[in-house]
């Protein structure tokens, strides 16, 4: 009976070690191109490729003591959470980690670029994020649609950028984020004078 428990514990520990060793494997993300539409006021846009970086992992440690003579339980296998969009942050500048440095929903007509940092949680070996930028005034107009394939095994930031070499038309805009073709988040913003 004791031998059976030892063998079972040894097999469980070996499986857990192999499972944890495989967690860190991921394929490099390859940006996928999507067609872009002209910007309002007949201004052509050339969006640069979006970028994704892994968010710093937070760690916590805890220790527990098992009673003397007991067999330690093998580590529990962690369930893999599916990829989800946690937050969209808009701004006119990003830092080296691709995070918006100052969040805002109001931009000036002469801001050359607008960034959307999309925070994701969970894991995916291959998912597609899309940012669809729209001008909402009048009949509305698609400004740009940018897609990117990502692979991550934890929190990550994917940054999308839309730019206009001329002045942005004043009015209301929206960026809509889709995950694998399904709309998951929206953020309204405005271009206004002062």
């Amino acid at each position: 009976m004791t031998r059976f428990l030892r063998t079972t514990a040894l097999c469980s520990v070996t499986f857990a070690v192999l499972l944890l060793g495989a967690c860190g494997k991921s394929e490099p993300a390859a940006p996928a191109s999507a067609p872009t539409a002209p910007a309002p006021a007949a201004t052509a846009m050339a969006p640069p490729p979006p970028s994704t970086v892994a968010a710093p992992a937070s760690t916590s440690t805890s220790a527990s003591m098992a009673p003397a003579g007991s067999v330690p339980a093998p580590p529990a296998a962690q369930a893999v959470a599916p990829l989800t969009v946690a937050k969209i942050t808009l701004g006119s500048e990003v830092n080296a980690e691709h995070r918006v440095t100052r969040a805002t929903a109001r931009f000036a007509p002469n801001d050359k670029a607008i960034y959307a940092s999309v925070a994701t949680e969970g894991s995916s070996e291959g998912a597609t994020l899309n940012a669809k930028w729209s001008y909402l005034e009048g009949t509305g107009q698609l400004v740009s649609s940018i897609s990117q394939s990502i692979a991550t095994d934890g929190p990550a930031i994917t940054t999308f950028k839309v730019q206009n070499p001329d002045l942005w038309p004043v009015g209301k805009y929206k960026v809509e984020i889709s995950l694998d073709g399904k709309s998951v988040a929206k953020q309204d913003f405005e271009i206004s004078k002062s």
Side-chain angles (χ1 to χ4, degrees), residues 44-55:
M45 305 191 72
S51 55
T52 299
V53 294

Side-chain angles (χ1 to χ4, degrees), residues 77-93:
Q78 295 180 352
V80 177
L83 189 68
T84 59
V85 171
K87 184 178 179 183
I88 304 171
T89 307
L90 298 179
S92 57
E93 294 180 8

